[in-house]
Amino acid sequence: MSQALPLSPLGTVTSVLGRALPVLPVVAVIALLGLPVAPGGEGGATVADAVSGLVVLCCAVRLLRGRRRPLSRTAAVVIGLPVVGIAVAAAGAASPGAGITGLARYLQIFVLVPAAVLLLVRDRRDFRLLAWSFVGLALWQGAIGVHQFVTGTGASYQGEDIRAVGTFGASDIMGMATVVAFGLVCAVGLALGSDGARQRTAAGVCSLVLLLPLAVSFSRGAWIATVAACGAQLVLAGLRRTVRVGAVVAAVAVILVGGFGVGSAMLQERISSITQVADAPDQSVTDRYTMWAAAVDMWREHPLTGVGLKGFPEHRDGHASLALSSGSDTAGAGAAFRKQPLLSPHNMYLLVLSEQGLIGLLALAGSWLALLACALRGLVRARRAPSGNGTPPGLDCALVACGLLGWQLIDFMYADIGGPSTVLTAVCLGLVGWWALVDPASSSPQPPARAVAAPASLEEASAR
């Protein structure tokens, strides 16, 4: 009997790449967000958006070649539910161009790319590969952000160019915070639910490292969403781990802020401002409240279908009070001072309510809540699975999925879609969709359909 020869390093790499080939286009989408944003091109499509279109195309080709049923009935309903509100709002847009542009963007982020990611992920190894890709992107953007804070080359904040924005520039101050928060949530989930010591240790170290760039992003919405999502992950992982990890995080925070004085005065002021948004709000908070009120007023005029896709900027001035400023000031990170127009309410739920009405909000939010319920059900199933070393298999995937969706749902109270990092929302929804709507235990891909030879007899047919 001949013995199998060990693979060479090149053969090992080829084998790994071959096994991960279906999800490599998704990894490419994540990796391309590490490239700098072209000056003046912040509001348009990026290379990552273009590659996300290729992801959808690759998925379609793979389905046609494999002759597989694309989605289960439940998955098709949950993923496709937002189409109802989006299509109605596109038909009611102020112009055909706005309707088509908005339709394409919403379908990309909430339907097509999530469905493609769901179908391309074959098993938990693919899921973990994408989760680690999020962590890797967060470390890269976080390192750039910390360098900007230390050297004073970031976006302008309180008269100093210290705000960490990574490669996204001063016009997208939420981009780096979103990327780092996604990576932190993935790292926490991998650390809490992994059954391997190496992965658990590496993920734990990455999660602690990512606390610093998240802090110097000075993004209150990202802070709130991250604390809530990671806290939920800790509770879902077990109370003992909650206490231990909470103590470690508290110690690291004390060392960074108290010991080394990492932006202590500005961080304390920013944190305290969270509790002062009702009593003494700054101008950014006042603008946000004013736009929220304008969005609600638009909805009251068009309760079922809203004002149409891309209609918020057109109707804003007719519904906003005089408290709204002319725009937000942006500068730093290699860009000159400019007034950035306020084109959205910075609340995804109110944006959908104003532009798509109750029909759109119920369809979109209903899809997200269904995903959350199914993801939590998958987490319960994973915890009940037999385990030989105390950690249920698949618990890390469950914690990552629930954490990512929880973070996004909370962050949507303070932000909406827009900017280069938006495509990551689509990838996150696809990951969550795979865990929530595909049985984790049956993770092997279905074989291609093959022609079956005719049986030679009735007995053989009945046996088959």
Side-chain angles (χ1 to χ4, degrees), residues 11 114 159 167 240 321 414 459:
T167 63
R240 290 183 179 180
S321 68
Y414 312 97
E459 291 80 8

Side-chain angles (χ1 to χ4, degrees), residues 228-267:
C230 293
Q233 287 177 308
L234 288 171
V235 172
L236 293 173
L239 293 179
R240 290 183 179 180
R241 292 184 180 181
T242 301
V243 175
R244 290 200 302 265
V245 175
V248 173
V249 172
V252 172
V254 169
I255 293 173
L256 287 176
V257 178
F260 295 109
V262 178
S264 55
M266 290 187 174
L267 283 176

